[in-house]
Amino acid sequence: MNGILNAASELVDPNVSKNPDKTAIYYRNEKISYGALQEGINRFGKLLAQTGVRPGERLIIALPDSPAFFYAFLGSIRHGAWPVPLSPALSRTGYDFIVQDAGAVALVTRTDCSAAQASGSTLRHRFYVDTPEYAAGITQASPELAPHPSRETDIAFMLYSSGSTGNPKGVPHRHRDMVATADTYARQVLDATETDRFFSVAKLFFAFGLGNSLSFPLRAGASVILNPDPPTPPDILNMIGQYRPTLFFAVPTIYNMLLKTMETESLDTGALRLCVSAGEALPADLFHDWKRLTGVEILDGIGSTEALHIFLSNRAGQVRPGTSGTPVPGWETKVVDENGRAVPPGTLGRLWIRGDATAPHYWNRPEKTRETMREEGWLDTGDVYIQTPGTEGAFVFQGRGDDMFKVDANWVSPIRVEAVLREHPAVLECAVSHRRLEGLAKPLALVVLRPGFEGNPKLVGTLRRHVLANLPAYMCPVQIDFVQGLPKTETGKVQRFRLKKD
Ligand code: 3UK
């Protein structure tokens, strides 16, 4: 089955036929209706066509969350060109690398974004959305554009995964992928309908935010609230009070910061019915504290750029705190050993997944593709999981495959040691990796202290004793360094490989 399907048309057009005046986007003081959204998309696609950008060519989008992002992203897809959304906060060299890697022919950004200076031999056109020339080009372009007749398995867009190691990799996705994640996760796990209002702290350039703020609300004929600014806890709380979202999405650190802010400012949770956390594991305590203060559950779920969105998730009313829950409808999962053979529940192994939304390959990375996109449509997530026999099959995250290491022939999961260290009142944040002593791996910890604590040898002793009281001795860090901050990716994930001292 490989019918004609254009994702931009599939996500938007039915809503225009049904109710063109319904608000699709809330943005500052503006409301963008479905009719206006479709017009903006068509005009952008037409502008691309007139400029000579052809279907299949790549176009970089470096924009804050805004209606302009929707027009450029969906306008490209409607025309058949592949949008490549990137964070508007990358360095110039970060953009140059991706322009070159993707062979991008066009760039859509703002004059005040560092992407404005990006360069590359393939780049032919630049669109600056905050200029009068751009406004004139859009106004002159026709508001009618027939969707490019793509097949559902043709590539529609490409994301870049900042990855936990090495250079970012292009992850192409097909026309059917956004529709598939909306019809499985959003509809069947979140129960999303046209009465919902979506609000995501995670931005549109990140696969998590792209689903939360674009494909899910559009597929449901619902509304989305966009925040173009870097998220600060007071702004987020204000926006929740002002726009009254029903669904809220953020990474765990944001929930943590919001809880701390709520100690001084009250939160009007108003219409909120469900919250979602992804990006890294949500600590069980955070789930309980949030539930107690707001009355709303946070559903932890694991997703990835390669899978486009969440494939294992908790369910409303049946949350198992501290786990990633169970497979989302439409997804098959298996935990495997080094030979790709399924292991029984209760055994630690790599998580492989299979579903309709997975990227078919990496862009120009045959070696990485062979490692990750496995036989019969399976995708190796690179994550280590245990499926607990006791908790109705909930999956418990054990860390990235490449972060795990062995000490005295025993596996050490950095996140277990980090969780214990974090329980100590002196510890704000920490990351565990390993160093070699006489050729053998030993745990090493970097610790960011809470204000008021001093990093000295006495505290090292205290923290080591705290770990020893809670975990086997081989897991106890032989070295603890106090630092100001931890190395993180664009999307806020700790890069443990950068701590390794081999
Ligand atoms: C880790 C988690 C434990 C895990 C993402 C939701 O994070 C997303 O995509 P990325 O490509 O990273 C994927 C990797 O992040 N991870 C994500 N969620 C969890 N680990 N518990 C979780 N709940 O290592 C995974 O392989 O940046 C998240 C939707 C779309 C996404 N792209």
Side-chain angles (χ1 to χ4, degrees):
M1 198 182 68
N2 191 9
I4 299 283
L5 178 87
N6 184 295
S9 153
E10 183 77 10
L11 289 172
V12 177
D13 298 357
N15 299 308
V16 181
S17 314
K18 210 165 151 198
N19 188 356
D21 297 326
K22 163 138 193 186
T23 298
I25 303 174
Y26 290 89
Y27 176 71
R28 299 193 193 275
N29 294 324
E30 286 175 62
K31 288 184 199 169
I32 317 291
S33 69
Y34 271 100
L37 174 63
Q38 188 189 50
E39 193 179 312
I41 291 167
N42 289 354
R43 287 183 188 274
F44 185 89
K46 238 353 202 247
L47 181 65
L48 277 190
Q50 285 164 9
T51 320
V53 174
R54 292 183 294 269
E57 291 190 309
R58 277 79 56 208
L59 161 134
I60 301 241
I61 302 178
L63 287 175
D65 282 17
S66 54
F69 182 106
F70 275 64
Y71 304 149
F73 183 78
L74 292 166
S76 307
I77 294 179
R78 193 167 173 110
H79 170 57
W82 308 359
V84 181
L86 300 180
S87 162
L90 290 186
S91 67
R92 221 196 110 176
T93 51
Y95 292 115
D96 287 352
F97 173 82
I98 292 173
V99 167
Q100 201 62 40
D101 188 75
V105 301
L107 169 69
V108 189
T109 187
R110 298 176 51 90
T111 51
D112 57 6
C113 175
S114 57
Q117 270 86 45
S119 57
S121 54
T122 51
L123 210 52
R124 302 196 304 260
H125 311 285
R126 290 155 195 270
F127 302 98
Y128 299 114
V129 305
D130 54 339
T131 59
E133 294 76 24
Y134 178 80
I138 286 290
T139 317
Q140 281 154 23
S142 159
E144 306 286 336
L145 174 68
H148 182 72
S150 2
R151 305 250 150 207
E152 58 188 43
T153 54
D154 287 349
I155 301 302
F157 62 98
M158 184 152 79
L159 302 174
Y160 267 81
S161 161
S162 46
S164 49
T165 49
N167 281 326
K169 301 184 289 285
V171 182
H173 274 286
R174 299 173 281 206
H175 280 269
R176 72 172 186 208
D177 298 0
M178 286 195 289
V179 177
T181 53
D183 288 349
T184 54
Y185 176 71
R187 195 158 61 79
Q188 299 180 54
V189 175
L190 303 181
D191 204 11
T193 70
E194 61 187 12
T195 58
D196 278 308
R197 289 168 174 239
F198 290 72
F199 180 37
S200 170
V201 175
K203 302 290 185 190
L204 282 161
F205 69 84
F206 180 24
F208 184 36
L210 186 68
N212 307 339
S213 289
L214 190 143
S215 50
F216 297 171
L218 298 184
R219 184 67 171 166
S223 308
V224 59
I225 298 144
L226 296 182
N227 173 19
D229 303 318
T232 66
D235 283 358
I236 298 168
L237 294 180
N238 280 339
M239 288 184 70
I240 292 175
Q242 188 185 346
Y243 294 100
R244 304 176 64 76
T246 57
L247 294 167
F248 178 73
F249 305 80
V251 297
T253 37
I254 296 282
Y255 286 105
N256 199 15
M257 292 194 318
L258 289 175
L259 277 175
K260 296 211 169 104
T261 314
M262 279 152 59
E263 287 167 7
T264 50
E265 276 179 52
S266 67
L267 171 66
D268 170 14
T269 45
L272 260 193
R273 64 175 183 87
L274 210 47
C275 296
V276 172
S277 168
E280 61 179 310
L282 180 77
D285 284 353
L286 246 172
F287 170 85
H288 291 298
D289 291 349
W290 183 265
K291 175 92 195 286
R292 198 172 49 243
L293 261 152
T294 66
V296 184
E297 285 182 324
I298 305 177
L299 301 188
D300 185 9
I302 174 176
S304 72
T305 309
E306 290 79 354
L308 192 55
H309 215 277
I310 290 173
F311 45 84
L312 281 181
S313 176
N314 278 282
R315 303 295 192 282
Q318 304 166 33
V319 172
R320 263 118 8 150
T323 80
S324 307
T326 53
V328 167
W331 289 98
E332 293 170 79
T333 55
K334 59 180 178 181
V335 177
V336 304
D337 63 18
E338 303 82 61
N339 303 315
R341 275 192 300 260
V343 297
T347 313
L348 182 142
R350 288 277 267 243
L351 178 69
W352 285 21
I353 58 171
R354 184 159 69 181
D356 276 348
T358 54
H361 52 79
Y362 289 112
W363 176 248
N364 287 341
R365 298 274 202 289
E367 189 68 21
K368 279 273 163 205
T369 298
R370 263 193 301 279
E371 281 170 30
T372 307
M373 287 79 183
R374 309 301 295 254
E375 56 277 8
E376 294 166 16
W378 288 99
L379 185 121
D380 181 348
T381 61
D383 294 308
V384 178
Y385 266 89
I386 285 185
Q387 188 181 10
T388 28
T391 48
E392 292 158 24
F395 286 72
V396 186
F397 182 67
Q398 304 292 303
R400 293 287 303 167
D402 44 19
D403 287 339
M404 308 278 286
F405 56 97
K406 274 192 170 176
V407 178
D408 306 339
N410 301 300
W411 280 115
V412 176
S413 155
I415 59 162
R416 266 188 82 188
V417 187
E418 289 163 11
V420 168
L421 274 172
R422 253 198 312 272
E423 285 166 9
H424 193 277
V427 178
L428 178 66
E429 273 195 307
C430 60
V432 167
S433 181
H434 62 87
R435 61 165 303 175
R436 291 196 182 271
L437 280 182
E438 295 165 352
L440 296 172
K442 299 287 174 190
L444 152 84
L446 292 200
V447 168
V448 181
L449 291 173
R450 281 185 194 276
F453 288 90
E454 196 193 325
N456 54 31
K458 188 158 167 258
L459 185 56
V460 171
T462 309
L463 291 176
R464 293 195 69 235
R465 276 194 299 282
H466 172 70
V467 174
L468 284 170
N470 290 283
L471 291 173
Y474 65 85
M475 292 197 189
C476 182
V478 296
Q479 179 181 343
I480 297 182
D481 294 344
F482 298 108
V483 293
Q484 298 300 316
L486 303 174
K488 292 190 179 161
T489 64
E490 272 299 304
T491 49
K493 287 193 235 286
V494 174
Q495 295 173 301
R496 293 190 186 79
F497 76 97
R498 287 177 55 190
L499 316 177
K500 272 187 218 161
K501 294 185 180 170
D502 275 334

CSV table of all heavy atoms in Angstrom, one decimal, residues 161-162 206-208 277-282 300-306 308-311 324 381-383 385 397 400 491 493, ligand 1:
chain,number,residue,atom,x,y,z
A,161,SER,N,19.4,15.2,14.3
A,161,SER,CA,19.5,14.7,15.7
A,161,SER,C,20.8,15.1,16.2
A,161,SER,O,21.9,14.8,15.7
A,161,SER,CB,19.4,13.1,15.6
A,161,SER,OG,19.9,12.6,16.8
A,162,SER,N,20.8,15.9,17.3
A,162,SER,CA,22.0,16.3,17.9
A,162,SER,C,22.8,15.2,18.4
A,162,SER,O,24.0,15.2,18.5
A,162,SER,CB,21.7,17.4,19.0
A,162,SER,OG,20.7,16.9,19.9
A,206,PHE,N,12.4,20.5,17.4
A,206,PHE,CA,12.7,19.2,18.0
A,206,PHE,C,11.5,18.3,17.7
A,206,PHE,O,10.4,18.7,17.8
A,206,PHE,CB,12.8,19.5,19.5
A,206,PHE,CG,13.1,18.4,20.5
A,206,PHE,CD1,13.7,17.2,20.1
A,206,PHE,CD2,12.8,18.5,21.8
A,206,PHE,CE1,14.0,16.2,21.0
A,206,PHE,CE2,13.0,17.5,22.8
A,206,PHE,CZ,13.6,16.4,22.3
A,207,ALA,N,11.8,17.0,17.4
A,207,ALA,CA,10.7,16.1,17.0
A,207,ALA,C,9.5,16.1,18.1
A,207,ALA,O,8.4,16.0,17.7
A,207,ALA,CB,11.2,14.7,16.8
A,208,PHE,N,9.9,16.1,19.3
A,208,PHE,CA,8.9,16.1,20.4
A,208,PHE,C,8.0,17.3,20.2
A,208,PHE,O,6.8,17.2,20.2
A,208,PHE,CB,9.7,16.2,21.7
A,208,PHE,CG,8.9,16.1,23.0
A,208,PHE,CD1,7.7,15.4,23.1
A,208,PHE,CD2,9.3,16.9,24.1
A,208,PHE,CE1,7.0,15.3,24.3
A,208,PHE,CE2,8.5,16.8,25.3
A,208,PHE,CZ,7.4,16.0,25.4
A,277,SER,N,5.7,14.2,29.7
A,277,SER,CA,7.2,14.4,29.8
A,277,SER,C,7.9,13.4,28.9
A,277,SER,O,7.5,12.2,28.8
A,277,SER,CB,7.6,14.2,31.2
A,277,SER,OG,9.0,14.1,31.3
A,278,ALA,N,8.9,13.9,28.2
A,278,ALA,CA,9.8,13.0,27.4
A,278,ALA,C,11.1,13.7,27.2
A,278,ALA,O,11.3,14.8,27.7
A,278,ALA,CB,9.2,12.8,26.0
A,279,GLY,N,12.1,13.0,26.6
A,279,GLY,CA,13.4,13.5,26.4
A,279,GLY,C,14.4,12.8,27.3
A,279,GLY,O,15.5,12.5,26.9
A,280,GLU,N,14.0,12.6,28.5
A,280,GLU,CA,14.8,11.8,29.4
A,280,GLU,C,13.8,11.2,30.5
A,280,GLU,O,12.7,11.7,30.5
A,280,GLU,CB,16.0,12.5,30.1
A,280,GLU,CG,15.6,13.7,30.9
A,280,GLU,CD,16.8,14.4,31.6
A,280,GLU,OE1,17.6,13.7,32.2
A,280,GLU,OE2,16.9,15.6,31.4
A,281,ALA,N,14.3,10.3,31.3
A,281,ALA,CA,13.4,9.6,32.2
A,281,ALA,C,12.9,10.6,33.3
A,281,ALA,O,13.6,11.4,33.8
A,281,ALA,CB,14.1,8.4,32.9
A,282,LEU,N,11.6,10.5,33.6
A,282,LEU,CA,11.0,11.4,34.6
A,282,LEU,C,11.1,10.7,36.0
A,282,LEU,O,10.6,9.6,36.2
A,282,LEU,CB,9.5,11.6,34.3
A,282,LEU,CG,8.7,12.5,35.2
A,282,LEU,CD1,9.0,14.0,35.0
A,282,LEU,CD2,7.2,12.3,35.1
A,300,ASP,N,5.0,9.9,31.5
A,300,ASP,CA,6.3,9.8,30.9
A,300,ASP,C,6.2,8.9,29.7
A,300,ASP,O,5.6,7.8,29.8
A,300,ASP,CB,7.3,9.3,32.0
A,300,ASP,CG,8.7,9.2,31.5
A,300,ASP,OD1,9.0,9.8,30.5
A,300,ASP,OD2,9.5,8.6,32.3
A,301,GLY,N,6.9,9.3,28.6
A,301,GLY,CA,7.0,8.4,27.5
A,301,GLY,C,8.3,8.6,26.8
A,301,GLY,O,8.9,9.7,26.9
A,302,ILE,N,8.8,7.6,26.2
A,302,ILE,CA,10.1,7.7,25.4
A,302,ILE,C,9.8,7.8,23.9
A,302,ILE,O,9.1,7.0,23.4
A,302,ILE,CB,11.1,6.6,25.8
A,302,ILE,CG1,12.3,6.8,24.9
A,302,ILE,CG2,10.5,5.2,25.6
A,302,ILE,CD1,13.5,5.8,25.1
A,303,GLY,N,10.5,8.8,23.3
A,303,GLY,CA,10.4,9.0,21.9
A,303,GLY,C,11.8,9.2,21.4
A,303,GLY,O,12.8,9.3,22.2
A,304,SER,N,12.0,9.3,20.1
A,304,SER,CA,13.3,9.6,19.5
A,304,SER,C,13.1,10.3,18.1
A,304,SER,O,12.0,10.2,17.5
A,304,SER,CB,14.1,8.4,19.3
A,304,SER,OG,13.6,7.6,18.3
A,305,THR,N,14.1,11.0,17.7
A,305,THR,CA,14.1,11.6,16.4
A,305,THR,C,13.8,10.6,15.3
A,305,THR,O,13.1,10.8,14.4
A,305,THR,CB,15.4,12.4,16.1
A,305,THR,OG1,15.6,13.2,17.3
A,305,THR,CG2,15.3,13.3,14.9
A,306,GLU,N,14.4,9.4,15.4
A,306,GLU,CA,14.3,8.4,14.4
A,306,GLU,C,12.9,7.8,14.4
A,306,GLU,O,12.4,7.4,13.3
A,306,GLU,CB,15.3,7.2,14.7
A,306,GLU,CG,16.8,7.6,14.5
A,306,GLU,CD,17.4,8.4,15.6
A,306,GLU,OE1,16.7,8.8,16.6
A,306,GLU,OE2,18.6,8.6,15.6
A,308,LEU,N,10.3,9.6,15.4
A,308,LEU,CA,9.5,10.8,15.2
A,308,LEU,C,8.8,11.2,16.5
A,308,LEU,O,8.8,12.4,16.9
A,308,LEU,CB,8.5,10.7,14.1
A,308,LEU,CG,7.9,12.1,13.7
A,308,LEU,CD1,8.9,13.1,13.4
A,308,LEU,CD2,6.9,11.9,12.6
A,309,HIS,N,8.2,10.3,17.2
A,309,HIS,CA,7.6,10.7,18.5
A,309,HIS,C,7.6,9.5,19.5
A,309,HIS,O,8.4,8.6,19.4
A,309,HIS,CB,6.2,11.3,18.3
A,309,HIS,CG,5.9,12.4,19.2
A,309,HIS,ND1,5.4,12.1,20.5
A,309,HIS,CD2,6.0,13.7,19.1
A,309,HIS,CE1,5.3,13.3,21.1
A,309,HIS,NE2,5.6,14.3,20.3
A,310,ILE,N,6.7,9.5,20.4
A,310,ILE,CA,6.7,8.6,21.6
A,310,ILE,C,6.2,7.2,21.2
A,310,ILE,O,5.2,7.1,20.6
A,310,ILE,CB,5.9,9.2,22.7
A,310,ILE,CG1,6.7,10.4,23.3
A,310,ILE,CG2,5.6,8.2,23.8
A,310,ILE,CD1,5.9,11.2,24.3
A,311,PHE,N,7.0,6.2,21.6
A,311,PHE,CA,6.6,4.8,21.2
A,311,PHE,C,6.4,3.9,22.5
A,311,PHE,O,5.8,2.9,22.3
A,311,PHE,CB,7.7,4.2,20.3
A,311,PHE,CG,9.1,4.4,20.7
A,311,PHE,CD1,9.7,3.6,21.7
A,311,PHE,CD2,9.8,5.4,20.2
A,311,PHE,CE1,11.0,3.8,22.1
A,311,PHE,CE2,11.2,5.7,20.6
A,311,PHE,CZ,11.7,4.8,21.6
A,324,SER,N,8.8,3.9,31.8
A,324,SER,CA,8.4,4.5,30.5
A,324,SER,C,7.0,3.9,30.1
A,324,SER,O,6.6,4.2,28.9
A,324,SER,CB,9.4,4.3,29.4
A,324,SER,OG,10.7,4.7,29.8
A,381,THR,N,17.1,1.3,19.2
A,381,THR,CA,17.0,2.7,19.8
A,381,THR,C,18.3,3.1,20.5
A,381,THR,O,18.4,4.3,20.8
A,381,THR,CB,15.9,2.7,20.9
A,381,THR,OG1,16.3,1.7,21.9
A,381,THR,CG2,14.5,2.3,20.4
A,382,GLY,N,19.2,2.1,20.7
A,382,GLY,CA,20.4,2.5,21.5
A,382,GLY,C,20.2,2.6,23.0
A,382,GLY,O,21.1,2.9,23.7
A,383,ASP,N,18.9,2.3,23.4
A,383,ASP,CA,18.6,2.4,24.8
A,383,ASP,C,18.6,1.1,25.5
A,383,ASP,O,18.2,0.1,24.8
A,383,ASP,CB,17.3,3.1,25.0
A,383,ASP,CG,17.3,4.6,24.6
A,383,ASP,OD1,18.2,5.3,25.0
A,383,ASP,OD2,16.5,4.9,23.7
A,385,TYR,N,16.9,-1.3,28.3
A,385,TYR,CA,15.7,-1.4,29.1
A,385,TYR,C,15.6,-2.7,29.8
A,385,TYR,O,16.2,-3.7,29.4
A,385,TYR,CB,14.5,-1.2,28.2
A,385,TYR,CG,14.0,0.2,28.1
A,385,TYR,CD1,14.5,1.1,27.2
A,385,TYR,CD2,13.0,0.6,29.0
A,385,TYR,CE1,14.1,2.4,27.1
A,385,TYR,CE2,12.6,2.0,29.0
A,385,TYR,CZ,13.1,2.8,28.0
A,385,TYR,OH,12.7,4.1,28.0
A,397,PHE,N,13.7,2.2,32.1
A,397,PHE,CA,14.9,2.7,31.4
A,397,PHE,C,16.2,2.5,32.2
A,397,PHE,O,16.2,2.8,33.4
A,397,PHE,CB,14.7,4.2,31.1
A,397,PHE,CG,15.8,4.9,30.4
A,397,PHE,CD1,16.1,4.6,29.0
A,397,PHE,CD2,16.6,5.9,31.0
A,397,PHE,CE1,17.1,5.2,28.3
A,397,PHE,CE2,17.7,6.5,30.3
A,397,PHE,CZ,17.9,6.2,29.0
A,400,ARG,N,21.6,4.8,28.2
A,400,ARG,CA,21.9,4.6,26.8
A,400,ARG,C,22.9,3.4,26.7
A,400,ARG,O,23.8,3.3,27.6
A,400,ARG,CB,22.7,5.8,26.2
A,400,ARG,CG,21.9,7.1,26.1
A,400,ARG,CD,20.9,7.0,25.0
A,400,ARG,NE,21.5,6.8,23.7
A,400,ARG,CZ,20.9,6.5,22.6
A,400,ARG,NH1,19.6,6.3,22.6
A,400,ARG,NH2,21.5,6.3,21.4
A,491,THR,N,19.1,19.9,23.0
A,491,THR,CA,17.8,19.6,23.6
A,491,THR,C,17.9,19.3,25.1
A,491,THR,O,17.0,18.8,25.7
A,491,THR,CB,17.1,18.5,22.8
A,491,THR,OG1,18.1,17.4,22.7
A,491,THR,CG2,16.7,18.9,21.5
A,493,LYS,N,20.1,17.2,26.9
A,493,LYS,CA,20.5,15.9,27.4
A,493,LYS,C,22.0,16.0,27.8
A,493,LYS,O,22.8,16.4,27.0
A,493,LYS,CB,20.2,14.9,26.4
A,493,LYS,CG,18.8,14.5,26.2
A,493,LYS,CD,18.6,13.3,25.4
A,493,LYS,CE,17.8,13.5,24.2
A,493,LYS,NZ,16.4,13.6,24.3
B,1,3UK,C1,16.2,9.4,25.4
B,1,3UK,C2,14.3,9.0,27.1
B,1,3UK,C3,14.2,7.9,29.1
B,1,3UK,C4,16.5,8.0,24.9
B,1,3UK,C5,12.1,12.7,21.7
B,1,3UK,C6,9.8,12.5,22.5
B,1,3UK,O1,14.0,12.8,23.0
B,1,3UK,C7,13.5,12.7,21.9
B,1,3UK,O2,14.3,12.5,20.8
B,1,3UK,P1,15.9,12.5,20.7
B,1,3UK,O3,16.3,12.0,19.4
B,1,3UK,O4,16.5,11.5,21.8
B,1,3UK,C8,16.0,10.2,21.9
B,1,3UK,C9,16.7,9.5,23.1
B,1,3UK,O5,16.4,10.3,24.3
B,1,3UK,N1,14.8,9.6,25.9
B,1,3UK,C10,13.8,10.2,25.4
B,1,3UK,N2,12.7,10.2,26.1
B,1,3UK,C11,13.0,9.4,27.2
B,1,3UK,N3,14.9,8.3,28.0
B,1,3UK,N4,12.9,8.2,29.3
B,1,3UK,C12,12.2,9.0,28.4
B,1,3UK,N5,11.0,9.3,28.6
B,1,3UK,O6,17.8,7.8,25.1
B,1,3UK,C13,16.1,8.2,23.4
B,1,3UK,O7,16.7,7.2,22.6
B,1,3UK,O8,16.4,13.8,21.1
B,1,3UK,C14,11.2,12.5,22.7
B,1,3UK,C15,9.3,12.7,21.3
B,1,3UK,C16,10.1,12.9,20.2
B,1,3UK,C17,11.5,12.9,20.4
B,1,3UK,N6,12.4,13.1,19.4
